[in-house]
Amino acid sequence: MKLKDMMYVSLLTAIVAALGLLPPIVLPFTPVPITAQSLGVMLAGAILGARRGCMSLLIFVLLVAIGAPILSGGRGGFGVIVGPSGGYIIGYIIGAFIVGLLVEKFWNSLTTLKIFLFNIVGGIFVVYLLGVSYYAHVSNLNIGEAAISALVYIPGDLIKALVAAVIAMKMKKSYPLIQKVNKKEAA
């Protein structure tokens, strides 16, 4: 990996951590707080692409696991990873990868609407799939109960998906970090 790529990965890792400085919204009926960090997941994939976006969130999750207090509310440690929100946190890695993969695939025809939809697929659907499943498991709930409790997060995550799409499209136009590989170059 080139030094420039490492710097971009580190920068997005730091952005996701900085989004954790915003205070979480804790709801009385769920132990999983509403945070701004899922915005960083979407930005990582949409701005850096699949490989580098995934790597930035992998580093973030590893930092959390070793105890860095970079989750919202100053949380960190392996206990958070195996706790009720652990599936969402692990889902960040795969979510960033999926967003990045879709952005790369449609790079030449990319629009803000497409990035918004990709953010929904990777940054919301994939993260929720892992998060809700794991939450149901550790909380001894059935998957339907866990899914219903997650509905409260969707409006905020849709707003974050739109914000990330607008930022990513601005980045593509002004300073694109993803370079589409031509079929001739790949051969």
Side-chain angles (χ1 to χ4, degrees), residues 80-99:
V80 178
I81 303 292
V82 297
S85 57
Y88 292 96
I89 297 165
I90 298 299
Y92 286 177
I93 301 166
I94 300 165
F97 180 81
I98 297 298
V99 170

Side-chain angles (χ1 to χ4, degrees), residues 85-169:
S85 57
Y88 292 96
I89 297 165
I90 298 299
Y92 286 177
I93 301 166
I94 300 165
F97 180 81
I98 297 298
V99 170
L101 193 65
L102 292 168
V103 167
E104 288 174 4
K105 181 173 175 65
F106 294 93
W107 183 254
N108 293 329
S109 64
L110 211 54
T111 64
T112 302
L113 177 61
K114 284 183 182 177
I115 300 173
F116 175 66
L117 294 174
F118 301 157
N119 286 338
I120 291 172
V121 171
I124 298 175
F125 181 75
V126 169
V127 172
Y128 278 44
L129 183 65
L130 293 166
V132 168
S133 301
Y134 189 76
Y135 175 59
H137 174 73
V138 299
S139 300
N140 292 321
L141 299 171
N142 70 45
I143 196 77
E145 293 170 325
I148 288 171
S149 73
L151 291 176
V152 70
Y153 305 110
I154 292 183
D157 282 342
L158 288 172
I159 292 168
K160 290 180 249 182
L162 181 59
V163 168
V166 170
I167 292 170
M169 198 63 197

